[in-house]
Amino acid sequence: MIQLKINDEVLAKHGEFVFGTNGKKEDRIYQKVIKAYQNENNKYAKYVYRFILDRFKDIVLGDIEKLTHLKKVYSYLVNSIPSSNVREKLIADLEIFHKEYKYFYKSVGWNAYLFQKMLGITICPYCATQFIFVYNSDNGKTRGTLDHFIDKAKYPIFSISIYNLVPSCKVCNSDFKGSKEVDIRDSYTPYEENIIEYITFKRDAIHCQEEEISPSTVIDIKRRHNNEIDYVSMFLGMNEDFNIKVDYSNAPPEIARKIKGNIELFHIEEIYNAYHKNYIQDTIKKAYLYNHAYRTQLLSSFNNFFSSEEELKIAIMPAVEDDRKNILGKLTRDIVYQETKGFTL
């Protein structure tokens, strides 16, 4: 739900981390792969190492489309090894990439903490509901977990691929995604462009209890007046007789498939409806205050707080660039827009 961008500085630092001074050290990944290639006697396994060495920079710095292509080639080469023993030994030996990923946790000069800090993200980009702030001191430290979009257990060579590392919350990374195999045909990563623009949060009235979106662990809404829906109260934000929905109906089919995949993978609608309806109710009430008459009154009465209509707008409707630091930023912005588009703005 939040788009991320890896800039040239991040790419330069990660490239230096693998191929700079570390690239000359025998205990680091580049020299380890060279040594493994030189010591490998099986020609099929040697093909795999040769492929890794030839495409090492693309493996480490390539975007997700390039990684997806490399994944197919890697899978073909590994699966072409006739001997299961050789294949299993190769996969076990390639765990040197896992060890390099662990080294990346806290290496000096460039590490997982600095990576997330440079991305400027403190909110999980998958769900936008959890903080993943970076804190690092002598007394303690924390950061978001790094999700491997391409599973590092099955594809160890992508363990330190920069575009394969997505800072995320534990719920999305471990509880929902885990080791499920995903690809860019049916899901998207926050690093992909032109995805978020097709996603809009909206609320739909619940016409019957069966339409309610919620996990089985959430207690059903107690309907009033013999199960009838109070639509006036719903529209005014006074009750929870609505579903929070993710609308992507305007997306091209190939993008819609990706969005649908992420919504299902991370249980987006279930989580939002289970835990954020009260927030929506408060947002709706604010939205109804945000009409021309009230804006004029607020600016007049609280001119010490708001020097312009833009400041007042920002106080109610967060900017896109702030989504990386504000929980539920896109949800707030979309709902406020939906509720105020009929007003004179």
Side-chain angles (χ1 to χ4, degrees):
M1 297 298 171
I2 300 173
Q3 182 174 312
L4 301 179
K5 183 175 179 58
I6 293 179
N7 59 32
D8 291 341
E9 186 179 1
V10 170
L11 292 176
K13 285 183 176 293
H14 202 62
E16 175 66 21
F17 168 75
V18 177
F19 303 109
T21 303
N22 284 336
K24 300 178 178 64
K25 296 179 179 179
E26 291 185 0
D27 60 341
R28 298 274 57 87
I29 189 63
Y30 189 56
Q31 291 299 323
K32 282 184 177 180
V33 174
I34 292 176
K35 185 177 180 179
Y37 170 74
Q38 293 171 341
N39 294 337
E40 181 58 61
N41 295 320
N42 182 274
K43 68 175 183 179
Y44 294 100
K46 209 172 183 72
Y47 290 155
V48 177
Y49 283 118
R50 183 71 263 171
F51 160 73
I52 295 172
L53 287 172
D54 288 344
R55 303 303 298 273
F56 218 133
K57 286 195 174 180
D58 287 339
I59 290 171
V60 173
L61 303 175
D63 63 23
I64 193 63
E65 290 188 0
K66 189 168 291 184
L67 295 183
T68 299
H69 170 70
L70 294 175
K71 182 181 76 170
K72 293 178 182 178
V73 179
Y74 168 81
S75 296
Y76 172 78
L77 292 174
V78 171
N79 293 329
S80 296
I81 299 175
S83 170
S84 60
N85 290 334
V86 173
R87 188 165 56 248
E88 290 172 4
K89 179 181 181 302
L90 172 67
I91 294 173
D93 290 343
L94 287 175
E95 288 189 4
I96 56 177
F97 280 90
H98 292 168
K99 293 178 181 178
E100 194 71 4
Y101 172 63
K102 291 181 179 179
Y103 173 67
F104 178 61
Y105 283 174
K106 53 183 179 181
S107 64
V108 177
W110 181 242
N111 52 51
Y113 290 88
L114 294 174
F115 171 50
Q116 184 181 329
K117 188 174 182 180
M118 287 191 68
L119 288 177
I121 183 80
T122 57
I123 304 297
C124 176
Y126 284 132
C127 67
T129 68
Q130 300 278 343
F131 280 111
I132 56 167
F133 53 83
V134 176
Y135 178 75
N136 195 355
S137 74
D138 294 336
N139 297 321
K141 58 185 178 180
T142 187
R143 59 169 171 81
T145 63
L146 289 180
D147 169 50
H148 287 78
F149 184 79
I150 299 175
D151 180 34
K152 71 179 186 297
K154 188 172 182 179
Y155 305 97
I157 67 171
F158 302 114
S159 295
I160 55 169
S161 302
I162 194 67
Y163 277 93
N164 198 38
L165 304 178
V166 182
S168 55
C169 68
K170 177 184 176 297
V171 174
C172 287
N173 184 12
S174 301
D175 298 340
F176 288 154
K177 184 171 179 290
S179 60
K180 294 184 179 72
E181 185 167 355
V182 296
D183 58 53
I184 59 171
R185 182 182 183 276
D186 299 312
S187 297
Y188 71 89
T189 85
Y191 298 121
E192 292 183 66
E193 298 180 359
N194 304 320
I195 299 288
I196 304 299
E197 63 186 77
Y198 292 106
I199 297 174
T200 302
F201 283 101
K202 65 176 184 178
R203 63 182 186 125
D204 286 346
I206 296 175
H207 302 290
C208 60
Q209 191 163 355
E210 289 72 23
E211 294 179 355
E212 182 185 355
I213 299 174
S214 67
S216 58
T217 56
V218 178
I219 299 175
D220 291 336
I221 296 174
K222 294 184 180 299
R223 301 299 178 198
R224 292 157 295 282
H225 306 301
N226 297 321
N227 212 36
E228 292 182 359
I229 306 301
D230 184 350
Y231 291 105
V232 173
S233 295
M234 185 278 293
F235 282 117
L236 293 176
M238 297 172 63
N239 66 40
E240 297 183 0
D241 291 338
F242 60 89
N243 283 323
I244 302 171
K245 299 280 289 182
V246 181
D247 180 21
Y248 52 94
S249 57
N250 292 325
E254 64 275 11
I255 293 180
R257 184 169 56 245
K258 290 170 175 276
I259 295 172
K260 181 175 183 290
N262 275 35
I263 291 172
E264 294 177 351
L265 179 62
F266 299 110
H267 301 259
I268 297 296
E269 290 185 341
E270 290 86 352
I271 293 299
Y272 272 67
N273 280 282
Y275 300 108
H276 301 303
K277 281 190 175 182
N278 287 339
Y279 176 81
I280 288 296
Q281 289 178 270
D282 291 339
T283 301
I284 292 168
K285 293 172 184 176
K286 290 180 181 179
Y288 277 109
L289 290 175
Y290 188 62
N291 57 41
H292 182 72
Y294 275 101
R295 281 186 300 155
T296 302
Q297 181 178 339
L298 286 171
L299 285 171
S300 174
S301 301
F302 300 99
N303 52 27
N304 290 332
F305 296 97
F306 307 109
S307 61
S308 66
E309 286 198 16
E310 185 62 25
E311 287 190 8
L312 175 58
K313 178 180 177 181
I314 291 173
I316 300 177
M317 187 184 300
V320 175
E321 55 269 22
D322 291 336
D323 286 356
R324 298 182 180 193
K325 299 180 180 180
N326 293 331
I327 284 179
L328 303 176
K330 180 169 176 55
L331 175 69
T332 304
R333 190 168 51 256
D334 288 348
I335 293 297
V336 169
Y337 174 77
Q338 293 282 334
E339 299 296 333
T340 62
K341 62 183 178 181
F343 297 157
T344 303
L345 299 179

